[in-house]
Amino acid sequence: MHPTRKAAVTATALLAAATITVVAGCESDSTAESATATPDGSSRPGCPAVLAEAKRAVKTAEDIDSPWAGPTGGPRAVPDKTIVYIAQTLTNPGVAGVAAGVQEAADVVGWRVRTINGQGTPAGIKAAFDEALALGPDGIVVGGFDPTSVAEQVEQADTAGIPLIGWHAVTAPGPSETPKLFSNITTRVEEVAKISADWIIARSNGRAGVVLFTDATIPFAKRKSDLIKKELSTCSDVKLLSYENIPIPQANSLTIERVSSLASRFGDRWTHSAAINDLYFGHAAPALRAAGRDGGGAPFNIGAGDGDPSAFQRLNSKEFQAATVPEPLSEQGWQIIDEFNRAFAGKPASGYVAPVHITTAANSGGALSWDSEGYREAYRRIWDK
């Protein structure tokens, strides 16, 4: 078992032992109850069946023992290839984290990688794609943006026989015909959205006032936030206070102002938040601190992706983030290289989709990332590297 997993197991065991004598209903870092009393003085949730199911799902997702369940067979590494990674913006930690994983895996198989920053604008992404095509690479990664926004360039790549692999490029994992992608690497957005909402339902004991942050300019992100909203609505005493659209490239300039306004408007009614990306909470922290909020108190915030190191730092130190549903960023970078290798070898995509996981201070073991154990070794065996 990885050392951080061992630390997490030990920490979890100690926590369990310490809480045997604690009265049920006290808060913890994961699924503890923080219900408010009803008018008759009870704290019954308004959705007992939904709450029970949410707690079961969250308990499973918080399990830290996650051995490799991905591919164990495939073609040996095809030599001498060049990949271009087009990043929606490298200020998006998820996009940047996957780029690092792609580079690491490419170094193992002996391929060349060029990363081009799209700067988070339509014009920048189009220019980046044009630059990528001009380089004549063997494969191109669509890193975190909608390929239909560059339909002409996607068609040019297809005509030139250059396979495209997306990361969070379309809503579903696996191959895509329209737009044409050999595969799209992502966890299932439905599962990420549901478990994020379930965590809020479970942690609040079915009584929460929620703010939801999204980027409606990215179809993948918009779908995720809409699904979170839908799942939250299954519990009658969970109220959506506000649905905030803040484009990721503008998150630094807009989030502080929005959060300050939200804290003033909703006060103690704002108990929980969810965001389509952890980075919103990094920007929200100064505004929440200025509003007199405690980093380990309400609003209890969960990022529905991406699980970059800064998010882990916030939840480990209880600084305005309580949980994340991390993408296994490095692992997905390795998967991208493996999928390209399958494309170059004339084989189909692997079809592997990583399962959802919830990380909190209670189960992180102090780690700064989440990946399945053994993925590097598994891919090296496949590639004979």
Side-chain angles (χ1 to χ4, degrees):
M1 184 179 289
H2 190 279
T4 59
R5 304 289 198 275
K6 289 181 179 177
V9 169
T10 302
T12 302
L14 291 173
L15 179 62
T19 55
I20 289 174
T21 59
V22 177
V23 177
C26 293
E27 293 182 353
S28 75
D29 294 304
S30 54
T31 59
E33 301 173 356
S34 56
T36 56
T38 58
D40 64 2
S42 70
S43 58
R44 295 189 304 272
C47 56
V50 171
L51 175 61
E53 177 54 36
K55 288 186 174 183
R56 283 192 292 270
V58 168
K59 182 178 180 181
T60 298
E62 288 180 336
D63 186 359
I64 59 172
D65 190 10
S66 180
W68 177 243
T72 55
R76 297 175 63 183
V78 176
D80 195 29
K81 296 296 180 181
T82 298
I83 305 299
V84 175
Y85 184 102
I86 305 173
Q88 183 252 356
T89 171
L90 289 173
T91 63
N92 182 329
V95 172
V98 173
V102 167
Q103 182 66 66
E104 181 186 44
D107 288 344
V108 170
V109 295
W111 295 355
R112 297 167 296 279
V113 175
R114 170 82 176 273
T115 298
I116 305 175
N117 190 355
Q119 306 294 338
T121 67
I125 291 168
K126 182 180 181 298
F129 214 128
D130 286 337
E131 183 180 349
L133 289 168
L135 292 170
D138 297 290
I140 295 174
V141 181
V142 178
F145 62 91
D146 180 8
T148 63
S149 67
V150 284
E152 181 180 341
Q153 285 77 8
V154 169
E155 185 176 348
Q156 290 175 30
D158 188 37
T159 300
I162 302 172
L164 303 181
I165 292 179
W167 181 80
H168 285 205
V170 294
T171 58
S176 170
E177 285 299 321
T178 307
K180 186 70 173 179
L181 300 175
F182 180 78
S183 191
N184 180 53
I185 311 304
T186 177
T187 48
R188 289 187 173 88
V189 66
E190 298 87 355
E191 294 178 358
V192 173
K194 185 177 186 304
I195 202 64
S196 301
D198 283 348
W199 182 87
I200 290 175
I201 293 169
R203 197 196 187 288
S204 68
N205 203 37
R207 295 182 181 278
V210 184
V211 172
L212 179 54
F213 297 92
T214 191
D215 181 347
T217 68
I218 303 173
F220 181 92
K222 176 65 162 55
R223 174 165 164 74
K224 185 191 293 184
S225 57
D226 285 347
L227 288 167
I228 293 172
K229 182 166 61 171
K230 181 179 179 181
E231 181 67 15
L232 290 172
S233 71
T234 63
C235 188
S236 60
D237 284 337
V238 171
K239 308 300 182 184
L240 183 63
L241 301 177
S242 186
Y243 188 66
E244 295 290 323
N245 175 29
I246 303 176
I248 287 174
Q250 301 171 44
N252 186 38
S253 60
L254 295 181
T255 304
I256 292 177
E257 179 184 347
R258 296 276 187 92
V259 169
S260 296
S261 175
L262 291 164
S264 177
R265 284 168 57 198
F266 298 118
D268 292 343
R269 288 188 292 152
W270 181 11
T271 65
H272 293 76
S273 311
I276 54 92
N277 190 301
D278 295 292
L279 65 82
Y280 290 99
F281 300 128
H283 299 311
L288 290 170
R289 192 176 292 111
R293 301 297 181 99
D294 180 79
F300 299 100
N301 301 321
I302 183 169
D306 293 315
D308 67 282
S310 67
F312 277 73
Q313 289 171 345
R314 285 191 296 275
L315 65 89
N316 286 335
S317 59
K318 299 183 180 180
E319 281 294 311
F320 303 102
Q321 184 162 355
T324 183
V325 183
E327 294 282 332
L329 300 176
S330 177
E331 175 189 317
Q332 289 177 333
W334 281 62
Q335 184 181 353
I336 286 171
I337 292 299
D338 183 64
E339 301 293 359
F340 272 127
N341 192 58
R342 292 168 192 270
F344 300 148
K347 303 297 183 182
S350 72
Y352 175 62
V353 181
V356 294
H357 174 73
I358 295 174
T359 298
T360 68
N363 72 353
S364 74
L368 297 179
S369 63
W370 169 262
D371 295 289
S372 300
E373 292 185 31
Y375 70 93
R376 289 183 176 91
E377 295 79 5
Y379 282 127
R380 281 179 176 274
R381 284 193 292 270
I382 291 171
W383 304 332
D384 195 22
K385 291 290 183 176

